Amino acid sequence: MSLRFCSFASGSSGNCYLVKSDSATLLIDAGISGKKVLEGLDATGTPHEGVDALLITHEHIDHVRSVPVLSKKLPGISVYANEATWEGMKKPASPEQQRFFRTGEDFYIKDVTIRPFAIPHDAADPVGFSIYSGGRQISIVTDVGYVTDEIFDEIIDADLLLLEANHEKEILLMGRYPYNLKHRILGEKGHLSNVSAGECLCKLARTKRKARQILLGHLSRENNDPAVAMLTVKNTLMEKDIIPGGDLKLGIAMRDQMSYIYEV
């Protein structure tokens, strides 16, 4: 038994991920166009009628843009969000497709267990997700101002972790964003920096040694670059004598490109 993961897009302009178990097919977020989501399904050999559910982390447009379209194009799909997120979505799915979960409480789709956990971000009730099947775990942690103890405990056993590396702090501070937006991004309900992502991975590696696939995601178009994110995270790890590439494999979930299909 295994879990497979593919990022269709990850970044400040739109996010969408595919997770497949032996019997369940899930989309997480739909912040890119419906056309691109359907193209991603085709490229991964995923039948449209086989998609069981769309899971929503929070109501910001770069995570929910194509929910109405996908609700029509994938009529067999169920869309899951917590109550506050549903209330914050301007164009939700049809009522018969809506499903509700409670943050912190597991729910189940076929052979998959899904745990939505609270994250600090400036949305109504934002969550990350851990997805479990066959003793394997995939965790998605983006749109976080900082990694809380609760988040860290949730991801300690993850076999694949998508972790936000949104910005390089110096690029953000010197950039053209207005002060209030910079303050929001740097705040405790904003976004995780490259250095903060690296520090989280250092703590993971020191706390529990195991083989992990790490994907850095939700990179900002304005305030980051894939090469910069990778270099900063690697340098942060190496400063703590942690050498990437052994147990800790690093990759990038690109803003406008599909990733590999990872199997854990």
Side-chain angles (χ1 to χ4, degrees), residues 19 25 31 48 59 63 96 98 109 120 182 195 231 239 244:
V19 175
T25 298
H48 296 187
E59 72 277 11
H63 296 262
E96 60 269 19
Q98 293 183 21
I109 299 173
K182 293 179 181 179
V195 169
L231 181 62
E239 286 172 1

Side-chain angles (χ1 to χ4, degrees), residues 1-6 18-28 52 55 109-115 129-140 157-161 210 213 215 260-264:
M1 299 178 71
S2 65
L3 283 170
R4 282 143 285 162
F5 176 89
C6 181
L18 174 71
V19 175
K20 300 171 79 171
S21 69
D22 287 349
S23 62
T25 298
L26 313 175
L27 290 169
I28 295 93
D52 297 292
L55 316 179
I109 299 173
K110 293 183 175 177
D111 63 340
V112 168
T113 300
I114 301 156
R115 179 172 300 153
F129 287 113
S130 284
I131 299 164
Y132 306 86
S133 185
R136 313 300 284 171
Q137 176 183 344
I138 291 174
S139 293
I140 296 171
D157 291 316
D159 300 288
L160 185 149
L161 171 63
K210 65 171 291 181
Q213 175 65 58
L215 294 177
Y260 297 113
I261 300 174
Y262 295 90
E263 185 168 343
V264 299

Side-chain angles (χ1 to χ4, degrees), residues 65-173:
R65 179 176 284 108
S66 63
V67 169
V69 172
L70 293 177
S71 299
K72 295 176 181 177
K73 295 289 186 178
L74 305 172
I77 201 172
S78 297
V79 185
Y80 288 78
N82 57 38
E83 185 173 2
T85 297
W86 278 122
E87 291 176 355
M89 290 172 61
K90 295 180 179 179
K91 294 181 179 180
S94 62
E96 60 269 19
Q97 291 174 299
Q98 293 183 21
R99 303 290 184 271
F100 290 78
F101 62 74
R102 292 186 178 182
T103 302
E105 294 186 6
D106 293 357
F107 62 99
Y108 309 91
I109 299 173
K110 293 183 175 177
D111 63 340
V112 168
T113 300
I114 301 156
R115 179 172 300 153
F117 52 91
I119 60 174
H121 190 54
D122 56 353
D125 187 7
V127 300
F129 287 113
S130 284
I131 299 164
Y132 306 86
S133 185
R136 313 300 284 171
Q137 176 183 344
I138 291 174
S139 293
I140 296 171
V141 182
T142 67
D143 298 77
V144 288
Y146 67 104
V147 177
T148 65
D149 291 341
E150 291 76 15
I151 292 173
F152 186 81
D153 290 344
E154 180 59 44
I155 65 177
I156 190 68
D157 291 316
D159 300 288
L160 185 149
L161 171 63
L162 176 71
L163 180 66
E164 179 171 53
N166 175 257
H167 59 275
E168 185 75 6
K169 186 175 180 180
E170 288 72 19
I171 297 176
L172 173 64
L173 290 174

Side-chain angles (χ1 to χ4, degrees), residues 199-213:
E199 290 172 345
C200 175
L201 296 179
C202 287
K203 186 178 178 182
L204 272 180
R206 291 196 305 265
T207 303
K208 183 169 185 177
R209 182 173 180 177
K210 65 171 291 181
R212 305 176 191 272
Q213 175 65 58

Side-chain angles (χ1 to χ4, degrees), residues 13 24 30 34 47 58 65 81 101 139 153 157 176 198 210 217-218 220 222 229 236 240 243 251:
S13 53
H58 63 291
R65 179 176 284 108
F101 62 74
S139 293
D153 290 344
D157 291 316
R176 62 186 181 89
K210 65 171 291 181
H218 209 287
S220 168
E222 294 285 339
T236 304
K240 301 295 184 181
I243 308 301

